[in-house]
Amino acid sequence: MTPATALRAAGSAARRLLGMAVTLLVTSFLVFSSLYLAPGDPASFLVKGRSPSPQELLAIRQQYGFDDPFPVRYWHWLEGVLHGDLGRSYLFHQSVGEVLGARLPATLLLVGVATVLIAVLGVGAGIVGALRRGTRTGSAVLLLVTVGAAVPSFVAAIVLRSVFGVRLGWFPTIGNGTDLPDRLHHVALPAIALSVTFMALVTRVTRSSMLDELRREHVEVALSRGLPRRTVIRRHVLRNALGPIVTVGGLLVSGMLVSTAIVETAFGMSGIGSLLVQCVDQLDFQVVQAIVLLVVAAFVVVNTLVDLLHPLIDPRVRAAGGAR
Amino acid sequence: MRPRSLLAAATVATVLAAAGCSGTAKQADGTGAAYRLTDTTPAAGGDLDSFTWSLFGEPTTIDYAYSFDFPPNQILANVCESLLRWNPDLTTSPNLAASFANPTPTSWVYQIRPGVKFHDGSTLTADDVVASLRRNLDPEVGSVWGNQYRNVESIERTGPLEVTVTLQAPDATFNKYLAAGPGVVESAATLAKSGKEYGSPGTGVNCTGPFSFASWTSGQSLVLKRFDEYWNPQLKARSAQAKFVFLADPTTRVNAFRTGEVDGGWMVPAGAYAQLKDTPGGALYFGQNTTVATEVVNNLKGPLGDARVRQALLMAVDRKGIVKAGAGGVGEVANSLVTANNWNGAPGAAELIKALPEYPYDPAKAKALAAEAGVNGQKVVIATSPLDSQTTIITQAVAQAATAIGLKPEIDTIAADKYTALFTDPAAREGIDLFLTFWYTSITDPLDMYSSLRTGAFSNYGGWSDPKFDAAVDRAVGAYDPAAHAAATGEAQQIAMAQLPWLPLYTEPVSVFLGKRITGVKPSIAYLYYPWAAEIGAKG
């Protein structure tokens, strides 16, 4: 890399980071405003179960700032978020940070294990499917992909739970676990249930991306010249095919954060997915805002990372960037 | 089963007992399935290190001032005690108040039990009682029990171990409420110190019950541990620890029962009765309840404004069918908005119950009655929520009945959070003619239910009004004499059941599942206020 291209690369990275910050800011505004435009008065939730006196209602509205003008409320909230203060959950009588802190590790572990499954099994099956195309193994991969893509996570959860949890008793059916081995034991079935569909998707992308590369002229030339097949596949096919796989993978990982609700509920786990459902149900705005913001941030950060990674994986992208 | 909680919240209300006394096998009509109500499960043979109990939801706090829902109350019942105690047989007895007197119609004097220790080791005094009860009057606190304190003028310490409550007018139910949430006593010092954090996961509570708060892992579990200095040897905890886990999904809960990962739980999903009845993993028990499944008539300006149409609708509802299909055959058709055991042997109760009008299933007669009232294809909106199969089945049956009498039912499916709002927010109820509730009382007195139908009462959602009914309720509230109280309450009940401001559907018993490791619990709705977990121990 020449100093000039390095500079350009740094400049483009800086632009991406700035873009990320702007995206987050705009998102925060949209998240905040959409929730306050939603029907339902949080004050009436707070007094459910009794008829409040007008003074009481007023006190509650003041306490939570429901009567402040919208920009003031947004500014207060944003200021708090920037200071790491996400507000106070009125459902849990705790700070939102504490509420999320208690649940985030379980979800991160769940998504983490699912990601590993997707990366290893999904990409692996895609490579096998491409290399063994037309054979019995290749068809088996295609069949699995078709079935896997058609199985919603709640169906997978129900089947896994009743077979491996209730009937065979190999895995626990509820809870998060205590130490790491126990947590992994608890998270195994939910992670499989969560990743089935995504795995099928990644397998499909990997397979077609590999096939595209295999058909390329330079690959055919390399093979016809007698270069070892293994080396050609690793250096030329896999490396070039990685771009689309990483892009799709990045989207899926951040997407999984919001798909955990069903799986968490089915396995009695407590993570942010089930928390989100609960808080939407009960109009706990502060928590919902924090979770939505968190998920959006994960999306933006992961995709920015993917963008930044691309030139490192694929020299052609770097070259194209240089020519611009 | 969240709808129940809604209801409970709105006004703690009423009853059922149709099933009668313990040990009676009931033959559910047409299903051939029998169920039995039991007072108690086999006594524990030994102590336990720990047991795990399932809750259908996580409490948001265990501060008694905000606890009106099944999850917080069934925990709190073991940690915090009230001045009086609501027993599993639905009687009331002294508890933290060793005795009480009613020297004038508007004053109640409580003698506080000496030598009772809080979980932090401090000793209970009259100041703790005053501070705890007064919170229910404080608008800043916003206690859910404000309505039960509406007649309270003042709460004063009148001795080191004596507290006097002065009422604005005689109120025959006030004292009874002190056996439930409104009578909980906590440490005044801890209340002052913890402020808004009181009852939260990080802080917990400081009370006098057989278990103390140990830890609460938000989203996962809440752990109690045995309190060794507990004052009452009869209710000393048999288990060193009780762990509550939060499992919202009914299937998840039932699976956890079957695998033994959870040792037990209240409120078993009706759909799983058959599955859990004969499992080697444990046993299913039914006990006394005060709950009635009720269709609230929310709009008296539409076709349901005519009492004949309400009567016709009730006659056209196949209530036996609902019990069979929707409640697993476990329950009885209700002729009243309260259960029979809610009367608990009040003078003349048997006659009052016998005199109630009945509305046997008779679609033809119902149709004729509705036609006489001029029903002709008018629309009625029935609100429901996709909560469980039970709710769906009941709603379908009511819609069918409406069609049968010539109305045009329209089912309005509302999300769970909005459904809760029906009980508190008039705007949310607009345009709705009927909605379902499982209404229970947390005291043994039918008046708890009927006073909520008084003109202008918060939970008189349809705005029903009958001067004779109001007069009877007022007389009952002011009547301390049990016979006069029961007679006036019975009069109100008779009017309500002839007029049907709400339509009673069926009563159901309390259900509880116990895994094979544990026993000793007393199945009864009193579990919301009685330290039931203390009696759970190891199987013999």
Side-chain angles (χ1 to χ4, degrees), chain A residues 48-51 56 63 88 91-94 102-103 161 165-166 172-174 176 265-268 270 280-283, chain B residues 9-10 58 60-61 139 142-144 196-197 200-201 218-220 247 249 251-252 255 259 261-262 417 420 424 458:
Chain A
K48 83 171 163 189
R50 62 215 158 83
S51 62
E56 222 178 297
Q63 190 183 336
R88 200 175 156 80
L91 182 54
F92 295 99
H93 301 261
Q94 260 183 319
R103 289 160 174 85
R161 185 177 65 179
V166 179
T173 64
I174 57 160
N176 291 5
T265 308
F267 287 95
S270 99
V280 167
D281 248 13
Q282 312 258 34
L283 304 180
Chain B
E58 179 172 10
T60 60
T61 170
S143 163
V144 296
K196 285 199 180 308
E197 297 293 318
S200 71
S218 190
Q220 294 173 50
L247 302 173
D249 181 53
T251 318
T252 305
N255 280 334
T259 58
E261 285 165 274
V262 159
D417 63 317
T420 311
T424 52
F458 177 65

Side-chain angles (χ1 to χ4, degrees), chain A residues 41 48 88 108 150-151 209 262 290 313:
Chain A
D41 180 0
K48 83 171 163 189
R88 200 175 156 80
L108 292 180
V151 176
S209 180
I262 291 165
I313 299 169

Side-chain angles (χ1 to χ4, degrees), chain B residues 190-450:
Chain B
T190 309
L191 282 172
K193 197 177 116 222
S194 304
K196 285 199 180 308
E197 297 293 318
Y198 193 80
S200 71
T203 312
V205 296
N206 183 21
C207 290
T208 62
F211 283 99
S212 65
F213 173 83
S215 66
W216 181 348
T217 311
S218 190
Q220 294 173 50
S221 60
L222 190 153
V223 177
L224 304 180
K225 65 171 193 287
R226 176 165 51 214
F227 177 47
D228 290 323
E229 289 178 82
Y230 182 55
W231 62 274
N232 184 355
Q234 264 96 50
L235 283 172
K236 203 165 173 56
R238 305 292 309 256
S239 180
Q241 182 183 289
K243 181 179 181 186
F244 294 85
V245 294
F246 320 127
L247 302 173
D249 181 53
T251 318
T252 305
R253 228 159 47 238
V254 173
N255 280 334
F257 290 154
R258 293 172 64 201
T259 58
E261 285 165 274
V262 159
D263 292 305
W266 298 101
M267 293 177 82
V268 176
Y273 286 165
Q275 215 178 348
L276 292 175
K277 212 169 77 179
D278 296 312
T279 167
L284 179 62
Y285 296 94
F286 297 105
Q288 294 202 82
N289 204 347
T290 62
T291 304
V292 180
T294 296
E295 203 67 40
V296 171
V297 180
N298 182 54
N299 178 13
L300 293 173
K301 298 199 178 75
L304 296 172
D306 189 324
R308 288 173 297 179
V309 181
R310 302 196 291 270
Q311 291 158 352
L313 182 59
L314 187 54
M315 265 193 277
V317 177
D318 180 4
R319 294 186 286 169
K320 284 181 185 170
I322 290 179
V323 172
K324 187 176 156 188
V330 176
E332 305 292 327
V333 170
N335 287 327
S336 147
L337 295 172
V338 298
T339 58
N341 57 0
N342 213 253
W343 291 93
N344 210 49
E351 288 71 36
L352 290 172
I353 293 166
K354 219 175 285 166
L356 283 168
E358 289 188 28
Y359 300 92
Y361 180 52
D362 190 342
K365 202 172 147 196
K367 192 173 184 183
L369 184 62
E372 188 190 309
V375 165
N376 184 18
Q378 289 101 323
K379 190 178 85 169
V380 285
V381 177
I382 308 171
T384 186
S385 189
L387 295 148
D388 49 27
S389 58
Q390 206 170 353
T391 303
T392 309
I393 289 167
I394 296 171
T395 307
Q396 292 294 344
V398 173
Q400 248 173 44
T403 307
I405 63 168
L407 291 167
K408 244 210 202 113
E410 197 183 289
I411 294 179
D412 185 5
T413 304
I414 300 175
D417 63 317
K418 300 289 179 299
Y419 203 80
T420 311
L422 295 181
F423 297 88
T424 52
D425 184 0
R429 291 194 295 271
E430 243 164 70
I432 289 168
D433 292 287
L434 293 160
F435 60 93
L436 178 67
T437 172
F438 291 81
W439 201 271
Y440 71 87
T441 64
S442 48
I443 58 171
T444 309
D445 191 333
L447 191 56
D448 185 39
M449 167 73 238
Y450 292 111

Side-chain angles (χ1 to χ4, degrees), chain B residues 36-284:
Chain B
R36 180 180 288 274
L37 294 188
T38 47
D39 280 342
T40 185
T41 55
D47 287 356
L48 267 179
D49 287 338
S50 181
F51 69 89
T52 307
W53 200 260
S54 74
L55 300 179
F56 70 77
E58 179 172 10
T60 60
T61 170
I62 51 168
D63 182 343
Y64 69 104
Y66 311 112
S67 297
F68 51 73
D69 202 350
F70 292 89
N73 284 29
Q74 60 182 289
I75 294 171
L76 205 57
N78 299 292
V79 182
C80 291
E81 295 182 291
S82 298
L83 281 180
L84 309 180
R85 188 171 63 225
W86 201 31
N87 298 304
D89 64 359
L90 304 188
T91 58
T92 302
S93 52
N95 202 30
L96 290 182
S99 68
F100 55 88
N102 182 207
T104 74
T106 54
S107 65
W108 286 87
V109 182
Y110 298 91
Q111 302 300 332
I112 310 305
R113 191 176 296 278
V116 173
K117 295 277 187 213
F118 282 107
H119 296 146
D120 70 351
S122 60
T123 304
L124 170 71
T125 69
D127 293 321
D128 298 304
V129 176
V130 169
S132 298
L133 299 193
R134 274 189 188 163
R135 284 183 84 216
N136 294 297
L137 296 169
D138 184 353
E140 287 277 298
V141 172
S143 163
V144 296
W145 306 108
N147 191 45
Q148 279 68 32
Y149 275 78
R150 68 192 181 283
N151 285 328
V152 173
E153 169 97 37
S154 67
I155 300 158
E156 303 295 338
R157 172 186 190 269
T158 42
L161 286 173
E162 186 184 279
V163 171
T164 301
V165 177
T166 309
L167 302 174
Q168 290 156 357
D171 184 337
T173 51
F174 174 76
N175 184 56
K176 292 182 184 176
Y177 282 118
L178 296 189
V184 168
V185 178
E186 320 213 9
S187 153
T190 309
L191 282 172
K193 197 177 116 222
S194 304
K196 285 199 180 308
E197 297 293 318
Y198 193 80
S200 71
T203 312
V205 296
N206 183 21
C207 290
T208 62
F211 283 99
S212 65
F213 173 83
S215 66
W216 181 348
T217 311
S218 190
Q220 294 173 50
S221 60
L222 190 153
V223 177
L224 304 180
K225 65 171 193 287
R226 176 165 51 214
F227 177 47
D228 290 323
E229 289 178 82
Y230 182 55
W231 62 274
N232 184 355
Q234 264 96 50
L235 283 172
K236 203 165 173 56
R238 305 292 309 256
S239 180
Q241 182 183 289
K243 181 179 181 186
F244 294 85
V245 294
F246 320 127
L247 302 173
D249 181 53
T251 318
T252 305
R253 228 159 47 238
V254 173
N255 280 334
F257 290 154
R258 293 172 64 201
T259 58
E261 285 165 274
V262 159
D263 292 305
W266 298 101
M267 293 177 82
V268 176
Y273 286 165
Q275 215 178 348
L276 292 175
K277 212 169 77 179
D278 296 312
T279 167
L284 179 62

Side-chain angles (χ1 to χ4, degrees), chain A:
Chain A
M1 212 186 267
T2 66
T5 50
L7 205 63
R8 260 201 299 269
S12 115
R15 267 200 309 279
R16 289 226 158 83
L17 290 173
L18 186 68
M20 182 172 101
V22 172
T23 311
L24 281 174
L25 189 68
V26 172
T27 315
S28 78
F29 181 77
L30 290 177
V31 167
F32 190 83
S33 49
S34 62
L35 281 172
Y36 273 92
L37 292 175
D41 180 0
S44 69
F45 164 75
L46 288 164
V47 297
K48 83 171 163 189
R50 62 215 158 83
S51 62
S53 64
Q55 296 94 311
E56 222 178 297
L57 210 53
L58 190 70
I60 288 169
R61 298 190 66 88
Q62 275 173 353
Q63 190 183 336
Y64 286 92
F66 293 145
D67 287 334
D68 290 342
F70 179 78
V72 174
R73 285 193 303 192
Y74 173 63
W75 175 246
H76 280 160
W77 178 70
L78 188 67
E79 209 185 359
V81 170
L82 293 176
H83 287 101
D85 173 11
L86 293 162
R88 200 175 156 80
S89 158
Y90 40 76
L91 182 54
F92 295 99
H93 301 261
Q94 260 183 319
S95 79
V96 173
E98 282 177 291
V99 173
L100 286 183
R103 289 160 174 85
L104 206 49
T107 301
L108 292 180
L109 185 67
L110 175 60
V111 172
V113 173
T115 303
V116 172
L117 288 175
I118 291 171
V120 175
L121 299 179
V123 174
I127 294 172
V128 171
L131 298 181
R132 295 271 183 279
R133 185 168 177 244
T135 69
R136 203 172 281 186
T137 320
S139 316
V141 168
L142 271 185
L143 182 70
L144 279 177
V145 166
T146 313
V147 173
V151 176
S153 57
F154 76 91
V155 173
I158 290 170
V159 173
L160 291 169
R161 185 177 65 179
S162 63
V163 175
F164 298 101
V166 179
R167 192 153 325 153
L168 297 173
W170 292 351
F171 291 93
T173 64
I174 57 160
N176 291 5
T178 46
D179 51 0
L180 190 63
D182 191 36
R183 276 173 174 262
L184 288 173
H185 192 205
H186 276 81
V187 92
L189 293 183
I192 296 172
L194 179 64
S195 57
V196 169
T197 312
F198 297 114
M199 226 186 297
L201 207 60
V202 165
T203 302
R204 188 177 286 168
V205 169
T206 307
R207 182 176 172 276
S208 64
S209 180
M210 289 275 293
L211 286 177
D212 281 351
E213 293 300 325
L214 279 169
R215 281 192 214 104
R216 296 224 168 195
E217 210 171 314
H218 70 274
V219 174
E220 287 181 355
V221 170
L223 287 174
S224 66
R225 282 197 184 161
L227 281 175
R229 186 175 154 84
R230 198 173 265 270
T231 316
V232 175
I233 285 172
R234 205 175 54 229
R235 282 225 195 119
H236 299 284
V237 179
L238 193 52
R239 185 156 182 190
N240 289 343
L242 221 47
I245 300 172
V246 170
T247 306
V248 170
L251 281 171
L252 292 187
V253 170
S254 33
M256 271 197 291
L257 276 176
V258 276
S259 316
T260 54
I262 291 165
V263 168
E264 284 175 8
T265 308
F267 287 95
M269 290 180 73
S270 99
I272 58 164
S274 48
L275 178 69
L276 180 63
V277 173
Q278 194 181 2
C279 292
V280 167
D281 248 13
Q282 312 258 34
L283 304 180
D284 197 348
F285 286 2
Q286 312 279 357
V287 176
V288 175
Q289 280 164 350
I291 296 177
V292 174
L293 197 64
L294 191 77
V295 170
V296 173
F299 253 106
V300 174
V301 169
V302 169
N303 286 305
T304 307
L305 280 179
V306 167
D307 276 356
L308 293 174
L309 269 175
H310 254 203
L312 304 179
I313 299 169
D314 192 340
R316 291 168 306 177
V317 175
R318 194 158 62 214
R324 237 188 334 236

